[in-house]
Amino acid sequence: AYYTPEWLAKDFALRAELEPHHLVLEPSAGMGALALAAAAHLARPDQVRCYDIDLACVQHLNTHGFMATQQDFLTVTPLPMADCVLMNPPFANRQDMLHVLHAVQFLRRPGHLMAILSPMTIQGATSVHRQFQAFVAEHNATVRPLPNGAFKESGTNVHTCLLDLWVF
């Protein structure tokens, strides 16, 4: 797991256009960098919901006042409850695309989803990649590369991009 650097999490919270009444979801939250940044912006940790498969991460998240649940996010039944989803899903086996497609089902309308993804989601040519690219185009989402070395402090130089998507 390569956790979101604090500087990037803070940038997400600023770009998310969060309002005081918003409920934020961070699926596969890990240590909760995005949740912490959102809670700081909202000044309310009780307005941030988190999921993670790792019990130690969930316990850590709960100590910060988040409602955190130990569960594989892809097995959570979708319920439109969030105004905003901020996420850094796992990339292995195209899980980033699966997590985004699942997470969008948790958004109330209008809703905002921001995700850190592998550039392969946009550059890949398999049928799965093309379907995801069509989903991105259908929602008029923007995708931009994140700076090289964005995750260096997390222990990797993997290239990443930012998906910014609104649903209405």
Side-chain angles (χ1 to χ4, degrees), residues 17 19 25 33 35 42 44 48 57 64 95 101 106 111 119 135 147 156 160 162:
E17 300 180 27
E19 296 180 19
L25 171 65
L42 294 169
R44 301 256 331 253
V48 181
C57 289
H64 287 283
Q95 286 187 69
L101 295 172
F106 288 78
F135 166 81
T156 185
T160 54
L162 167 64

Side-chain angles (χ1 to χ4, degrees), residues 4-146:
T4 309
E6 185 179 350
W7 70 268
L8 184 55
K10 287 179 178 179
D11 183 61
F12 259 53
L14 287 174
R15 291 175 185 267
E17 300 180 27
L18 298 175
E19 296 180 19
H21 64 278
H22 280 170
L23 181 76
V24 177
L25 171 65
E26 185 182 359
S28 300
M31 299 307 282
L34 294 167
L36 288 164
H41 190 77
L42 294 169
R44 301 256 331 253
D46 63 321
Q47 288 179 238
V48 181
R49 304 289 184 267
C50 302
Y51 289 93
D52 202 89
I53 200 164
D54 185 323
L55 179 59
C57 289
V58 170
Q59 290 170 336
H60 171 78
L61 294 163
N62 283 328
T63 65
H64 287 283
F66 301 123
M67 179 186 275
T69 303
Q70 182 189 13
Q71 188 172 351
D72 178 346
F73 177 67
L74 293 177
T75 68
V76 178
T77 302
L79 174 65
M81 50 82 128
D83 300 290
C84 184
V85 175
L86 302 177
M87 59 192 304
N88 177 10
F91 291 6
N93 300 317
R94 303 181 196 140
Q95 286 187 69
D96 49 354
M97 293 183 286
L98 295 174
H99 275 73
V100 167
L101 295 172
H102 191 62
V104 77
Q105 298 175 71
F106 288 78
L107 286 172
R108 293 189 272 224
R109 293 344 188 223
H112 192 191
L113 182 145
M114 295 176 64
I116 298 165
L117 302 175
S118 163
M120 285 306 297
T121 59
I122 301 306
Q123 300 166 357
T126 69
S127 62
V128 173
H129 288 108
R130 286 192 306 273
Q131 288 173 353
F132 186 78
Q133 292 156 11
F135 166 81
V136 168
E138 174 186 326
H139 287 89
N140 295 314
T142 59
V143 179
R144 65 174 178 85
L146 289 170

